[in-house]
């Protein structure tokens, strides 16, 4: 059995350069689709010039610490800027015109750490943000709470503490938690507390369990192994995007939103592939859930889900997302430091949408959902 607990563990400096040289790294994606839009042209379009003053809130912006990278065997990511939440990051935000970053811990955070160690680690990470960047740059950084999800009751308590005492905007989870999705009864305390607090849960992708990796992604070809193709396929190239959509569909079918009708879920990466499958999913799942759900299957996507543009600055994908999802439920994100902030703000400034719609995506929807102001 080949474990993926420590993917890319043996990367050399050259390989690390490959990671950061591409648009995205391990935390978001090693193979971003080629960007072809007016934002990359030498001369800004009329729309881009019109919207040069557009404010931005980044809703999926990643951080880590040396301790967290050691825990998750991610020290090869030190050079990416993950652990720098000061002048370097602020400088990149200023250059891009990104007003606010909502920070979240790099996958998998501490959600796989059991017992008291996980509870204490999550608390220290959350307090580090409050006492560090959020205090030093109070207008520039907000945060999602990191939760010790091996203990759902403690996670619910830490979410409430972080929201009420420290002003956190919700929490972020990373893919499968052990071998369970959020629709598992074990996580009812977290879902109920998030709903009661009126704060969303951002579902970010995570590493698949070893069994899933072996069945879906493992390959015995030596060249395949040497280039880590199986591991990249299992995460940023394909696997974890499909996993997030699977988790969302499971939450609907298992009645999570019938039990918690006000619960709000955020997913990134332009819907994690959901827009492509949207009509097919509704056609098939709508037929078999009419008697088991309180609403039409489609309605849950409009009542309980929000979508961000993180790491997918492609106009055709945004158009497809907006074909099915209201502009009132789409938010801007960059996935920094695994994606270039300026490329993404430049791209969005050049997107040919009405100014009102662009303001909603860039910052107004986030202001409404999180109760903050640029």
């Amino acid at each position: 059995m080949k474990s993926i607990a420590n993917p890319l563990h043996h990367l050399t400096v050259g390989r690390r350069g490959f990671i950061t040289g591409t648009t995205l790294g391990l935390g978001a994606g090693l193979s971003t689709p080629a960007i072809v839009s007016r934002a990359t042209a030498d001369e800004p379009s009329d729309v881009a010039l019109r919207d040069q003053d557009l404010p931005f809130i980044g809703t999926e912006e990643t951080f880590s610490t040396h301790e967290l990278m050691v825990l998750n065997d991610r020290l090869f990511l030190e050079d990416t800027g993950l652990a720098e939440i000061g002048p370097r990051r602020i400088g990149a935000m200023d250059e891009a015109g990104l007003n606010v970053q909502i920070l979240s811990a790099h996958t998998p955070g501490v959600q796989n750490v059991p017992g008291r160690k996980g509870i204490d680690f999550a608390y220290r990470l959350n307090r580090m943000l409050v006492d560090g960047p959020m205090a030093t740059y109070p207008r520039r950084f907000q945060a999602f709470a990191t939760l010790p999800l091996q203990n759902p009751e403690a996670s619910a308590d830490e979410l409430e503490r972080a929201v009420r005492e420290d002003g956190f905007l919700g929490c972020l989870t990373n893919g499968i938690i052990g071998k369970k999705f959020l629709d598992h009864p074990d996580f009812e305390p977290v879902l109920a507390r998030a709903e009661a607090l009126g704060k969303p849960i951002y579902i970010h992708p995570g590493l698949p369990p070893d069994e899933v990796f072996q069945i879906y992604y493992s390959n015995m070809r030596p060249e395949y192994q040497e280039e880590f193709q199986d591991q990249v396929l299992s995460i940023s190239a394909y696997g974890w995007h499909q996993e997030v959509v699977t988790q969302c569909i499971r939450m609907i079918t298992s009645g999570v939103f019938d039990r918690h009708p006000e619960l709000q879920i955020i997913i990134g990466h332009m819907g994690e592939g959901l827009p492509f499958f949207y009509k097919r999913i509704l056609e098939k799942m709508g037929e078999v859930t009419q008697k088991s759900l309180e609403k039409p299957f489609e309605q849950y996507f409009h009542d309980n889900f929000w979508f961000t543009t993180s790491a997918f600055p492609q106009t055709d994908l945004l158009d497809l997302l907006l074909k099915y999802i209201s502009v009132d439920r789409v938010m801007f994100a960059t996935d920094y430091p695994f994606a270039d902030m300026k490329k993404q703000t430049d791209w969005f400034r050049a997107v040919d949408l009405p100014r009102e719609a662009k303001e909603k995506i860039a910052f107004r929807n986030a202001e409404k959902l999180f109760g903050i102001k640029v």
Side-chain angles (χ1 to χ4, degrees), residues 67-87:
E67 184 183 11
L68 187 60
M69 284 189 272
V70 169
L71 171 72
N72 292 320
D73 202 4
R74 298 291 183 272
L75 282 176
F76 60 87
L77 293 173
E78 278 191 309
D79 294 343
T80 64
L82 262 178
E84 203 287 328
I85 322 176

Side-chain angles (χ1 to χ4, degrees), residues 233-271:
L233 179 63
S234 74
I235 49 172
S236 52
Y238 173 78
W240 65 13
H241 304 297
Q242 299 302 311
E243 179 213 89
V244 170
V245 175
T246 299
Q247 181 161 195
C248 294
I249 294 171
R250 286 177 56 108
M251 293 180 78
I252 296 174
T253 58
S254 63
V256 163
F257 303 110
D258 290 340
R259 298 191 300 275
H260 306 288
E262 301 303 317
L263 178 64
Q264 301 297 302
I265 300 294
I266 309 170
I267 64 173
H269 307 126
M270 210 69 85

Side-chain angles (χ1 to χ4, degrees), residues 92-312:
M93 291 169 64
D94 290 343
E95 182 183 10
L98 191 72
N99 300 66
V100 179
Q101 277 197 344
I102 302 177
L103 299 170
S104 53
H106 184 253
T107 185
V110 302
Q111 69 183 41
N112 296 324
V113 183
R116 190 76 240 171
K117 180 180 179 181
I119 295 170
D120 292 343
F121 205 151
Y123 173 80
R124 285 189 288 108
L125 274 179
N126 294 333
R127 286 301 308 173
M128 181 277 295
L129 293 179
V130 175
D131 297 333
M134 292 170 69
T136 305
Y137 306 97
R139 295 181 178 272
R140 308 304 298 276
F141 292 121
Q142 300 280 351
F144 292 121
T146 299
L147 301 181
L149 288 166
Q150 292 298 311
N151 188 324
E153 288 285 355
S155 293
D157 291 343
E158 175 58 15
L159 173 59
E160 181 162 1
R161 187 210 63 76
V163 168
R164 295 194 184 283
E165 295 181 12
D166 296 332
F168 278 53
L169 305 181
C171 63
L172 181 139
T173 67
N174 292 283
I176 297 175
I177 304 159
K179 296 182 181 180
K180 301 171 184 175
F181 284 117
L182 279 175
D183 67 327
H184 192 280
D186 284 358
F187 300 111
E188 279 291 304
V190 179
L191 305 183
R193 198 73 60 91
E195 181 186 34
L197 291 166
K199 298 299 180 182
I201 298 174
Y202 199 127
I203 300 179
H204 184 276
L207 300 174
D210 284 351
E211 298 93 324
V212 174
F213 177 80
Q214 292 296 330
I215 295 170
Y216 279 87
Y217 306 111
S218 181
N219 189 302
M220 300 306 294
R221 181 168 173 247
E223 296 88 343
Y224 190 74
Q225 302 290 348
E226 290 172 4
E227 295 297 326
F228 301 97
Q229 295 171 38
D230 49 358
Q231 295 171 6
V232 173
L233 179 63
S234 74
I235 49 172
S236 52
Y238 173 78
W240 65 13
H241 304 297
Q242 299 302 311
E243 179 213 89
V244 170
V245 175
T246 299
Q247 181 161 195
C248 294
I249 294 171
R250 286 177 56 108
M251 293 180 78
I252 296 174
T253 58
S254 63
V256 163
F257 303 110
D258 290 340
R259 298 191 300 275
H260 306 288
E262 301 303 317
L263 178 64
Q264 301 297 302
I265 300 294
I266 309 170
I267 64 173
H269 307 126
M270 210 69 85
E272 306 285 11
L274 175 66
F276 181 87
F277 292 100
Y278 189 76
K279 291 187 70 174
R280 179 76 167 180
I281 291 170
L282 297 186
E283 176 188 353
K284 298 303 180 182
M285 295 307 300
E287 294 174 356
V288 297
T289 57
Q290 290 181 5
K291 296 180 180 180
S292 62
L293 296 176
E294 295 179 4
K295 300 178 184 179
F297 195 87
E298 178 179 13
Q299 193 61 44
Y300 297 96
F301 287 117
H302 302 294
D303 292 347
N304 301 100
F305 286 90
W306 300 72
F307 303 82
T308 81
T309 65
S310 58
F312 280 79

Side-chain angles (χ1 to χ4, degrees), residues 54-69:
L54 193 64
F56 286 95
I57 295 175
T59 54
E60 186 185 318
E61 318 300 319
T62 313
F63 82 94
S64 189
T65 65
H66 179 81
E67 184 183 11
L68 187 60
M69 284 189 272

Side-chain angles (χ1 to χ4, degrees), residues 3-25:
S3 172
I4 62 164
N6 305 312
L8 310 187
H9 174 72
H10 300 293
L11 291 181
T12 63
V13 172
R15 176 89 49 193
R16 186 182 299 130
F18 167 75
I19 289 178
T20 56
T22 56
T23 307
L24 303 178

